[in-house]
Amino acid sequence: MNKENNVFYQNRKAIQAICQRDNCDVSVGTSKFIHEAQLTGYHADLDDWQALCRAYMMDKQRTLADLFR
């Protein structure tokens, strides 16, 4: 995954803000971000973003919070 070109990675702080604002998890926050930003043509980026989130959640050294730093 090329993080610099991934719309979700680039906007991870906005996704984090949505999660905090609406008290929801990253999956729901990502869906809300898609809706609020009126994204189109994002499916490949979304697949990569979801894989990256899963990798952070499964990692023994990092947490999903590390992704949002």
Side-chain angles (χ1 to χ4, degrees):
M1 173 179 146
N2 186 348
K3 293 178 185 176
E4 290 77 29
N5 294 330
N6 185 290
V7 67
F8 299 103
Y9 184 82
Q10 291 173 345
N11 290 287
R12 65 192 184 281
K13 294 292 187 180
I15 294 169
Q16 181 183 36
I18 291 169
C19 293
Q20 291 172 343
R21 177 192 77 199
D22 296 347
N23 193 30
C24 60
D25 65 25
V26 68
S27 178
V28 174
T30 298
S31 294
K32 288 182 178 208
F33 173 76
I34 291 168
H35 178 74
E36 290 178 13
Q38 299 179 346
L39 295 183
T40 60
Y42 57 84
H43 292 92
D45 280 357
L46 179 60
D47 290 343
D48 290 342
W49 171 249
Q50 290 173 330
L52 183 62
C53 289
R54 279 192 300 277
Y56 270 79
M57 287 187 277
M58 294 175 63
D59 193 293
K60 295 189 187 308
Q61 302 298 318
R62 302 177 295 184
T63 67
L64 194 54
D66 294 322
L67 178 58
F68 291 100
R69 290 183 193 193

